Amino acid sequence: MSIVIITAGKETTGWAKALKAKRPELEVLVHPDVVAKDKVEFALTWGHPLGVFKEYPNIKCIASMGAGVDHILRDPELPASATITKLEDPNLTRDMGLFVVALVLNHMRNLTAHKLSQQQHNWNRKRYLTTEDTTIGIMGMGTLGTHAACLLTNLGFKVNGWARTEKQLADVKVYKGEEELDSFLAKSDILICLLPLTPQTENILNKHTLNKLPKNAYVINVARGKHLVDEDLITLLDSGHLEGASLDVFREEPLPKDHPFWNHPKINITPHIASITDPASAATQVLDNYDRLQRGEPLKNIVSLKLGY
Ligand code: GLV
């Protein structure tokens, strides 16, 4: 019995160690150092080389090392026989929630601006936003979005959500679909993107949608770089319509050294660290699905190929 780890570029030792620690008898292989590829049924992946699964004719499960699966679904040659699964790790959800709260508070209390004032020895008492002044809009009301909404409502914010389908949540009004997007945007003083990346959501943060936000709105993208049209964000920041943006994800990562985001005074950059999978915590659910596969039981956290998440 074996699991193969397939990734182009991501570190594999942490995962291999975590899986072995929990299951010493398991054979943990790392692509391409696999002799009997036809014996492998379970792959754990992040950004695999396109077409690689043609080398593994008996793959039955392709498990993502993270919450997102766009890095798997981008491959047009996925084996039809394989089930794709994602992680729904409580630690990932917790860390994302706290990071989003940190960015919201950083913006509201001008912490970055005060740091700059400090560097100039400048006693600059800026007005700050309060929870009463600020409605937060969360795009994407899956596990991560719902948890972030819950933390923010507990802090006293008014929070709205936007989702593809109807959702009922205490204390959060969830707007639905294309038809309610404009009304949702018009109320979002701080917009947080936590959407999965699919053909429907790619480039969803563009000049048309960002223009619908109230004047001086703030944009937080902690989902995927391809949700955002970079030039459109810069245009709306420069025109003064938007107050600023915090970006953790980029179309190309690492963000190229000459990208205009780096030096933009209204953009706050972090290097895709909002929520990082801890293999020691996530290995349990990977092994649970591995065991289910051996027993012929339904897997957990299955990705819908039609929806793309
Ligand atoms: C991180 O970006 C993830 O999808 O887990």
Side-chain angles (χ1 to χ4, degrees):
M1 291 303 150
S2 61
I3 289 185
V4 64
I5 301 179
I6 309 181
T7 164
K10 213 176 168 92
E11 212 272 319
T12 55
T13 6
W15 270 105
K17 264 198 196 145
L19 292 167
K20 285 297 263 184
K22 290 201 166 28
R23 190 70 59 84
E25 69 279 16
L26 180 73
E27 193 181 5
V28 180
L29 307 161
V30 178
H31 179 85
D33 303 326
V34 183
V35 180
K37 292 189 175 143
D38 57 328
K39 298 272 184 318
V40 182
E41 293 185 349
F42 195 103
L44 179 62
T45 65
W46 187 274
H48 64 269
L50 293 180
V52 76
F53 293 109
K54 284 187 286 187
E55 299 173 38
Y56 293 85
N58 291 314
I59 280 291
K60 296 202 172 65
C61 175
I62 302 174
S64 172
M65 288 181 183
V69 290
D70 46 293
H71 61 97
I72 298 178
L73 301 183
R74 81 198 203 292
D75 187 345
E77 295 184 286
L78 289 176
S81 55
T83 304
I84 318 286
T85 61
K86 60 187 164 188
L87 280 187
E88 274 206 17
D89 181 41
N91 291 3
L92 266 187
T93 309
R94 174 201 65 196
D95 292 354
M96 180 59 87
L98 290 176
F99 191 68
V100 160
V101 168
L103 294 180
V104 166
L105 296 180
N106 180 48
H107 163 59
M108 292 177 62
R109 303 307 304 260
N110 306 304
L111 297 184
T112 307
H114 286 305
K115 186 71 202 167
L116 288 175
S117 300
Q118 179 188 343
Q119 282 159 1
Q120 293 152 6
H121 298 199
N122 190 0
W123 187 264
N124 180 14
R125 302 183 77 225
K126 285 172 83 70
R127 270 188 63 85
Y128 56 83
L129 296 173
T130 68
T131 49
E132 271 151 54
D133 310 323
T134 313
T135 299
I136 297 184
I138 301 182
M139 297 180 96
M141 293 304 283
T143 311
L144 299 178
T146 307
H147 178 69
C150 178
L151 289 181
L152 290 161
T153 47
N154 283 340
L155 286 175
F157 288 98
K158 173 152 179 43
V159 180
N160 295 319
W162 181 74
R164 192 181 51 84
T165 53
E166 189 160 332
K167 296 239 157 91
Q168 301 290 341
L169 271 177
D171 303 327
V172 178
K173 176 170 165 56
V174 183
Y175 292 75
K176 187 187 84 165
E178 201 67 37
E179 61 282 14
E180 293 183 1
L181 181 57
D182 287 2
S183 323
F184 161 80
L185 292 168
K187 293 188 176 60
S188 301
D189 300 308
I190 298 180
L191 181 74
I192 300 173
C193 180
L194 273 168
L195 287 165
L197 181 67
T198 68
Q200 287 71 40
T201 64
E202 186 164 343
N203 298 327
I204 194 163
L205 303 176
N206 57 52
K207 56 178 176 297
H208 304 291
T209 49
L210 296 176
N211 230 332
K212 304 258 163 58
L213 295 170
K215 179 147 170 52
N216 295 329
Y218 193 82
V219 175
I220 293 176
N221 188 14
V222 279
R224 286 290 181 263
K226 285 187 180 167
H227 286 124
L228 175 70
V229 180
D230 295 359
E231 313 75 77
D232 290 1
L233 175 70
I234 291 179
T235 305
L236 285 160
L237 289 169
D238 290 349
S239 74
H241 182 69
L242 296 177
E243 173 82 16
S246 276
L247 308 175
D248 186 55
V249 286
F250 304 92
R251 299 184 91 86
E252 188 184 338
E253 294 182 5
L255 184 63
K257 292 262 183 247
D258 58 351
H259 195 288
F261 283 169
W262 283 112
N263 285 330
H264 200 289
K266 291 181 164 182
I267 294 178
N268 187 18
I269 286 174
T270 47
H272 203 147
I273 42 73
S275 180
I276 296 175
T277 310
D278 173 12
S281 130
T284 309
Q285 64 173 275
V286 171
L287 290 170
D288 180 38
N289 262 347
Y290 174 79
D291 292 340
R292 287 167 173 271
L293 186 73
Q294 309 307 313
R295 296 194 298 258
E297 288 171 15
L299 304 187
K300 284 190 175 162
N301 301 323
I302 292 183
V303 172
S304 153
L305 292 184
K306 187 157 158 269
L307 297 176
Y309 58 90

